[in-house]
Amino acid sequence: NAGVTQTPKFQVLKTGQSMTLQCAQDMNHEYMSWYRQDPGMGLRLIHYSVGAGITDQGEVPNGYNVSRSTTEDFPLRLLSAAPSQTSVYFCASSSASHPTYEQYFGPGTRLTVT
Amino acid sequence: GEDVEQSLFLSVREGDSSVINCTYTDSSSTYLYWYKQEPGAGLQLLTYIFSNMDMKQDQRLTVLLNKKDKHLSLRIADTQTGDSAIYFCAESAGNMLTFGGGTRLMVKP
């Protein structure tokens, strides 16, 4: 199993540009989430999905869109990038049937918006 | 959301014990977790404790849970340079996690 994969690893955008961060998992997990990590603030939940076709907002959803057309993929779209979106983005997945709800994280995408 | 708080930084000497502390606010959390993040990598689950337990030991790791004070700690015995990383505590409501800000552990040789 590849686990959770994310592309790209690094990205630089100009203010106002749009882009999609890709996330895929091959563990047949129902739950997938996107977090952003900023220094000293831990990870904050952006959006999450409990299954294909179902998404919901997390703590900091503004400026981001998601969709979940398949179990495997959960892309995160930045509609019009802003410098405040400079961050490291992590995708995670977990199984609804796992007793401890352990989340598996991807390696992250480091995004800089200039 | 609920707040989970940790101190930012801890420095210890190799071979000493490290204790990383965390306070949380959601008394309904089922599990509490410790994740480890090495430089340039994602988070990996280090250990967890079920909310009806007081203590869990796993090799060099000891997790203590004080539900009355909503206090969680992670003790690493015989700390090694390879333990240098950021440690996050997290509380859960089902599959949704709330993370603390992370404690950077620096281990000096």
Side-chain angles (χ1 to χ4, degrees):
Chain A
N1 286 350
V4 180
T5 57
Q6 292 183 237
T7 55
K9 286 186 72 70
F10 302 94
Q11 182 70 50
V12 179
L13 291 178
K14 293 187 186 305
T15 297
Q17 288 184 315
S18 63
M19 81 158 293
T20 299
L21 308 186
Q22 301 292 344
C23 174
Q25 52 91 10
D26 61 358
M27 297 173 282
N28 204 31
H29 284 169
E30 298 88 348
Y31 290 87
M32 295 186 75
S33 311
W34 276 102
Y35 295 88
R36 59 177 288 172
Q37 182 181 24
D38 301 295
M41 299 183 73
L43 277 75
R44 292 182 293 168
L45 183 64
I46 304 171
H47 285 285
Y48 65 97
S49 169
V50 301
I54 306 169
T55 64
D56 208 344
Q57 296 182 349
E59 182 185 353
V60 288
N62 291 342
Y64 308 95
N65 272 358
V66 291
S67 59
R68 183 98 180 268
S69 56
T70 67
T71 300
E72 293 79 20
D73 300 298
F74 190 44
L76 178 72
R77 279 180 283 278
L78 279 70
L79 309 171
S80 177
S84 61
Q85 293 179 304
T86 294
S87 188
V88 182
Y89 291 85
F90 289 100
C91 179
S93 73
S94 63
S95 169
S97 59
H98 195 288
T100 64
Y101 308 112
E102 176 181 353
Q103 294 210 9
Y104 294 80
F105 284 82
T109 295
R110 185 174 295 272
L111 176 68
T112 302
V113 183
T114 61
Chain B
E2 303 292 341
D3 287 338
V4 179
E5 296 189 351
Q6 303 176 237
S7 54
L8 284 178
F9 190 75
L10 176 65
S11 177
V12 301
R13 293 211 173 271
E14 190 174 20
D16 288 349
S17 291
S18 308
V19 180
I20 303 172
N21 294 301
C22 171
T23 57
Y24 63 98
T25 56
D26 188 354
S27 58
S28 66
S29 294
T30 309
Y31 289 96
L32 294 129
Y33 306 86
W34 284 103
Y35 279 83
K36 178 182 180 182
Q37 184 183 32
E38 296 187 0
L43 278 68
Q44 283 192 302
L45 182 65
L46 199 58
T47 188
Y48 65 92
I49 188 167
F50 190 49
S51 59
N52 69 354
M53 298 169 65
D54 298 323
M55 186 183 85
K56 179 181 180 182
Q57 188 142 4
D58 184 1
Q59 298 182 336
R60 292 190 297 123
L61 306 178
T62 303
V63 179
L64 295 178
L65 175 60
N66 181 330
K67 287 193 73 175
K68 174 176 169 290
D69 296 336
K70 297 192 180 71
H71 184 265
L72 182 74
S73 68
L74 173 69
R75 180 177 180 269
I76 306 173
D78 188 24
T79 312
Q80 303 297 306
T81 55
D83 295 323
S84 292
I86 302 176
Y87 292 81
F88 293 91
C89 64
E91 59 180 356
S92 72
N95 286 76
M96 296 299 108
L97 296 182
T98 302
F99 287 88
T103 299
R104 183 178 296 273
L105 175 64
M106 178 181 290
V107 183
K108 299 178 188 174

